[in-house]
Amino acid sequence: MGSALPLGDPMPTDGALPDGIHVDPAAPFGVYLHVPFCRVRCGYCDFNTYTSSELRGARQDQYADTLLREVELSRSVLGAAGGLRPASTVFFGGGTPTLLPPGDLARMLDGVRGAFGLADGAEVTVEANPDTVSPAVAHELAAAGVTRLSIGMQSAVPHVLAALDRTHDPDNVRTAVAAAREAGLDVSVDLIYGAPGESLEDWRASLEAAAALEPDHISAYALIIEDGTKLARQIRRGEVPAPDDDLQADMYELADDLLAAAGYDWYEVSNWSRGVEHRSRHNLAYWTGADWWGFGPGAHSHIAGVRFWNVKHPAAYAQRLAAGESPGAGREIPDASARALEGVLLRTRIREGLDVSELLGEGRHAVAALIADGLIEGADALRGRIVLTRRGRLLADAVVRALTD
């Protein structure tokens, strides 16, 4: 049901931002809408999601109305801080947003549109399980204003899907992509590599299958074992092997080579697109420190340097909003040092990198050594931008440590 929420200061019941916080109405603003429902809990997943047997005290058919109460509350909070402005991106994530009827997703988007407006050319993404996308669903989403469908393919190989507890029919990925295309939507597919029992050739088959679909965007994430998940328990008991770091590195290099040959450019460590116009603008907002409001149980937000997060369980979330209170569980205002560290952590992952001048003194001293080790390019010890090489992408955590120690 998701990892533990961070510690922080209590949120006021009205959800107001701290005194003295000024929101820049000209800054980009993103909206994240969390839909915490899944048919089956995947063994590797620690997201804040719930199957029907785990809901207890919350109803899926009432969820859209509940979330819209938080949208109205946020409008009051941002209005009081001078920060109302149109949303430039909207992202329905989960969970499986397409477990809700398309009409519910449309009402939620209408609520965002009514509260904030949508900027011209706004990117509106819905994550989807392949088994839940039909031509009728795709057309209804497009008619509501959705512009982009992100399809959870994960793998094209049945035994790899089984290892991940994914239950969708691999053949339905193709039909989902075709339905989205016919409805005029941009398409992204998500892949995961390093599952127990997955070979390099299995991974090649999945990459080739994904590229053959000719989506606009492909994400490829290394499997990470999260504490508290079914997969972590299986590994601890010796039932399945832990991911092999060397094999995952080989898989990443294969992905980069194969996707580049198919016409995809990397723009973030785990993301490739067919040109700048098909990058995920919503996710780039996270990596560049923009403002966003996350709606739904367990959702996180970042407004004008303030980070806050909601209570986790859908029942507690609904109860607070029904009482006219903020669902916020806590908040924090990172200090300058923490913000600098976070900026390096996030922005080294993207193709544009960050300017050497933004590093603290000790971090600047590491630049020359990182260049010599072939981990970054396009910079020297005093000026330029820090951009990861492919080897640097494989060792991104080590690069960040070197730049922030």
Side-chain angles (χ1 to χ4, degrees):
M1 297 182 195
S3 55
L5 292 173
L7 299 176
D9 297 325
M11 282 282 287
T13 58
D14 62 0
L17 295 172
D19 292 341
I21 294 296
H22 174 71
V23 183
D24 180 0
F29 175 58
V31 168
Y32 174 74
L33 303 165
H34 187 60
V35 179
F37 310 120
C38 285
R39 285 179 179 157
V40 176
R41 177 170 299 285
C42 299
Y44 63 90
C45 181
D46 79 332
F47 292 169
N48 191 44
T49 61
Y50 302 81
T51 63
S52 58
S53 64
E54 296 169 334
L55 278 176
R56 296 190 307 275
R59 288 178 50 179
Q60 191 168 310
D61 61 351
Q62 295 176 346
Y63 183 72
D65 290 328
T66 299
L67 184 139
L68 287 171
R69 293 191 183 102
E70 188 187 0
V71 171
E72 286 304 310
L73 180 146
S74 71
R75 175 179 169 82
S76 298
V77 170
L78 288 175
L84 279 178
R85 69 274 197 170
S88 52
T89 64
V90 179
F91 195 102
F92 289 83
T96 308
T98 45
L99 281 183
L100 293 181
D104 281 4
L105 301 180
R107 285 198 301 116
M108 292 158 70
L109 182 56
D110 279 344
V112 170
R113 188 183 286 113
F116 312 113
L118 295 180
D120 291 342
E123 174 192 272
V124 181
T125 302
V126 173
E127 287 186 333
N129 181 300
D131 289 347
T132 63
V133 180
S134 65
V137 167
H139 276 280
E140 195 166 346
L141 293 175
V146 173
T147 65
R148 186 173 179 271
L149 204 64
S150 181
I151 298 170
M153 176 178 177
Q154 316 312 354
S155 175
V157 179
H159 79 84
V160 176
L161 289 173
L164 294 170
D165 289 326
R166 300 291 294 190
T167 59
H168 68 261
D169 183 339
D171 291 337
N172 283 348
V173 176
R174 182 178 296 103
T175 58
V177 170
R181 287 288 192 212
E182 202 275 329
L185 300 173
D186 264 26
V187 177
S188 176
V189 297
D190 290 352
L191 300 171
I192 294 177
Y193 59 91
E198 183 178 28
S199 68
L200 194 61
E201 288 310 305
D202 290 333
W203 177 233
R204 182 186 297 276
S206 292
L207 288 167
E208 290 176 344
L213 296 170
E214 299 184 343
D216 304 292
H217 183 282
I218 296 177
S219 298
Y221 298 106
L223 179 65
I224 297 173
I225 307 304
E226 303 287 358
D227 290 340
T229 61
K230 172 186 172 183
L231 186 54
R233 293 190 292 272
Q234 290 175 316
I235 291 172
R236 189 169 58 249
R237 294 193 296 260
E239 297 170 2
V240 297
D244 183 306
D245 291 343
D246 291 336
L247 177 58
Q248 284 192 328
D250 291 342
M251 289 175 164
Y252 183 87
E253 291 184 332
L254 178 61
D256 200 43
D257 287 338
L258 194 152
L259 294 177
Y264 295 89
D265 293 324
W266 85 273
Y267 71 94
E268 191 276 338
V269 168
S270 301
N271 290 273
W272 291 257
S273 69
R274 287 188 180 274
V276 173
E277 68 275 16
H278 295 300
R279 294 178 177 183
S280 170
R281 287 189 276 136
H282 185 83
N283 285 341
L284 279 171
Y286 296 149
W287 294 317
T288 56
D291 284 356
W292 78 88
W293 194 299
F295 297 94
H300 288 237
S301 305
H302 172 256
I303 302 292
V306 183
R307 298 194 175 276
F308 48 99
W309 47 90
N310 286 343
V311 293
K312 286 182 59 176
H313 198 279
Y317 174 78
Q319 287 163 6
R320 289 208 184 182
L321 287 165
E325 298 179 356
S326 164
R331 69 185 183 194
E332 63 182 6
I333 305 177
D335 61 20
S337 177
R339 289 197 301 271
L341 172 62
E342 183 179 80
V344 175
L345 174 67
L346 295 175
R347 288 168 53 210
T348 50
R349 293 183 61 88
I350 60 176
R351 185 156 203 151
E352 288 72 17
L354 77 161
D355 198 273
V356 173
S357 65
E358 298 177 54
L359 296 174
L360 300 178
E362 291 303 314
R364 293 190 198 185
H365 297 326
V367 173
L370 291 170
I371 294 172
D373 289 341
L375 298 176
I376 64 174
E377 60 185 28
D380 63 29
L382 296 175
R383 62 184 182 273
R385 297 193 71 78
I386 293 172
V387 178
L388 296 178
T389 62
R390 183 164 77 179
R391 184 165 180 267
R393 284 182 266 154
L394 280 167
L395 299 172
D397 290 345
V399 174
V400 170
R401 285 195 299 272
L403 294 173
T404 55
D405 281 347

